[in-house]
Amino acid sequence: MAGTMTSDARKKDTREKIELGGLIVKAGLRYEKRALLLGALVELRHRLKSDEGERARLIAIGAEAFGNDGE
């Protein structure tokens, strides 16, 4: 992050990180090792690039977990 980041930009960045962390908790992964979580996310990024069907399947699972109010 740049040293010249404005207060509003820092607040927005912090809020986004808190929300993303909340997804880990909602998924029931709070107590997993950080290396495992990062590895899983990196692997997911690779899969999503190569398999649009997997993307759609995971969106459906996530929407159901959110009660259809998530993105």
Side-chain angles (χ1 to χ4, degrees):
M1 284 179 241
T4 60
M5 187 180 268
T6 66
S7 177
D8 286 343
R10 279 195 312 272
K11 287 178 185 178
K12 182 179 178 184
D13 182 63
T14 298
R15 184 69 182 142
E16 181 181 30
K17 289 174 182 173
I18 290 168
E19 289 173 354
L20 291 170
L23 294 175
I24 297 297
V25 173
K26 188 165 183 73
L29 299 170
R30 177 191 300 252
Y31 301 108
E32 293 296 341
K33 292 185 179 197
R34 290 178 181 178
L36 179 139
L37 295 171
L38 182 56
L41 292 169
V42 169
E43 175 65 20
L44 176 62
R45 183 186 70 214
H46 293 299
R47 287 185 186 193
L48 293 179
K49 284 183 179 181
S50 64
D51 187 346
E52 193 60 35
E54 182 71 354
R55 174 182 294 277
R57 185 181 77 81
L58 293 172
I59 287 172
I61 291 169
E64 183 176 329
F66 270 122
N68 297 314
D69 65 351
E71 288 184 23

